[in-house]
Amino acid sequence: MNRAMCPGTFDPVTNGHLDVIERASMLFGEVVVAVALSPDKGGGPLFGVEERVAFIEEAVSGLSNVTVQPFDGLLVECAQEIDAKVIIKGLRAVTDFEREFQMAQLNYRLDKTVETMFIMSIPEYAYLSSSAVKEIARHGGSVKGLVPDAVCEALAARLHQAR
Ligand code: PNS
């Protein structure tokens, strides 16, 4: 099976992530979206891993070859477990490159049979990130069109609670 994985923290998933996932689903027989627990990233995720998985599951429900699952530990070990030979990452502006290059090199060192491939962001989403979405929402700005509607609502509810 021609299986790829799209890993990330997805806190929360953005329309930029979803564009990459959809384009990967057209290139590979099966795509597994792997949602990292990432408990330490940026002071801890805003959304629990089950919530992050649920947002993506709802958003990709129309893509029959895409599944979503949480993962903890090393990415290459998750790739081995699900028998994915390709890791797909999105690349936005050139600022992503250094971090992605480092991760790709380290993953290659850990397992040479797993290839990392990049899908370039479309210009509309080139400057979109989960952190920017949270910052806008935290200050009461609209993130409609940047994330799925369910995520818009969850952000408002979560950040309103936090105030
Ligand atoms: O959404 P992100 O921050 O781009 O996702 C990064 C992620 C989760 C893919 C990365 O942090 C990761 O692979 N974490 C698992 C730990 C691991 O395998 N580290 C070694 C490669 S640097």
Side-chain angles (χ1 to χ4, degrees):
M1 173 56 76
N2 180 12
R3 181 177 294 142
M5 74 188 297
C6 287
T9 305
F10 304 111
D11 184 45
V13 69
T14 68
N15 288 347
H17 293 132
L18 292 168
D19 178 61
V20 169
I21 293 165
E22 185 174 349
R23 286 157 67 199
S25 80
M26 292 188 270
L27 296 170
F28 294 90
E30 209 180 302
V31 172
V32 179
V33 182
V35 182
L37 266 64
S38 300
D40 303 324
K41 191 177 175 186
L46 179 64
F47 294 103
V49 72
E50 302 302 339
E51 290 172 291
R52 287 179 273 142
V53 166
F55 292 142
I56 303 171
E57 276 177 340
E58 188 182 336
V60 301
S61 60
L63 303 173
S64 60
N65 61 340
V66 179
T67 55
V68 191
Q69 66 175 60
F71 87 97
D72 199 8
L74 285 177
L75 181 58
V76 289
E77 284 178 4
C78 178
Q80 288 156 5
E81 274 160 32
I82 64 176
D83 195 25
K85 294 285 173 244
V86 180
I87 294 167
I88 298 285
K89 296 292 306 262
L91 259 193
R92 296 165 297 184
V94 71
T95 44
D96 275 346
F97 181 78
E98 204 166 329
R99 180 166 174 265
E100 294 298 341
F101 183 71
Q102 181 192 33
M103 285 195 280
Q105 298 291 329
L106 290 170
N107 285 329
Y108 180 76
R109 187 185 163 84
L110 290 168
D111 185 341
K112 294 182 174 39
T113 70
V114 181
E115 199 64 60
T116 301
M117 297 177 75
F118 295 96
I119 291 183
M120 301 300 295
S121 162
I122 58 169
E124 195 179 340
Y125 299 136
Y127 293 95
L128 178 57
S129 69
S130 299
S131 322
V133 161
K134 284 183 283 192
E135 188 169 325
I136 294 168
R138 199 167 279 129
H139 293 289
S142 170
V143 290
K144 202 165 170 46
L146 302 179
V147 293
D149 287 347
V151 174
C152 277
E153 286 159 25
L155 276 166
R158 183 63 46 92
L159 295 170
H160 186 70
Q161 275 170 18
R163 278 182 186 188

